[in-house]
Amino acid sequence: MSTDCCSGESCSTQTASNSSCCESGKCPCGGECGGDPVACAKMLWCSSFSAALKQAHVDALKSRIVKAWGPKIDAGADAVVEAMGAVWMSKLSEAKAKTDLGAKMAGIMFGK
């Protein structure tokens, strides 16, 4: 049987996690490996390396940004939380007013 996940013969034997490859015409590695497991593994490792390297760069920058601008970032976060808290409280107040109005209108209409 063919190892090409996209071939008609092997689609019926694919696991649920690989079932989309038959629909998409691509292998689970996301590339055009043609079902070659060595090529597929190479593509997966290269892709994973790139993702890990990018994450390492992000992590390195995060620590430096916090070190350089931490107090300003914290002050900004505090300002956003304060402002959004006020917005949230006003929404709750508005929702309560609408609920209270509904209850009063029901009382008027139904004589309660």
Side-chain angles (χ1 to χ4, degrees), residues 1-22 28:
M1 181 171 284
S2 171
T3 59
D4 183 355
C5 76
C6 303
S7 70
E9 297 84 36
S10 65
C11 282
S12 61
T13 62
Q14 293 301 310
T15 62
S17 64
N18 290 342
S19 63
S20 65
C21 76
C22 298

Side-chain angles (χ1 to χ4, degrees), residues 38-96:
V38 174
C40 189
K42 181 181 172 187
M43 289 176 144
L44 287 170
W45 278 112
C46 289
S47 175
S48 297
F49 176 83
S50 294
L53 182 58
K54 180 178 180 179
Q55 189 58 52
H57 285 119
V58 168
D59 292 344
L61 285 173
K62 276 185 188 179
S63 64
R64 284 161 178 81
I65 289 169
V66 169
K67 184 178 178 183
W69 300 327
K72 289 183 180 182
I73 291 171
D74 289 340
D78 290 342
V80 169
V81 168
E82 182 181 340
M84 294 310 294
V87 169
W88 182 254
M89 294 307 293
S90 71
K91 288 181 180 184
L92 290 176
S93 180
E94 180 182 350
K96 183 177 182 332

Side-chain angles (χ1 to χ4, degrees), residues 93-108:
S93 180
E94 180 182 350
K96 183 177 182 332
K98 288 178 180 179
T99 300
D100 291 348
L101 175 60
K104 287 179 184 177
M105 292 302 291
I108 292 168

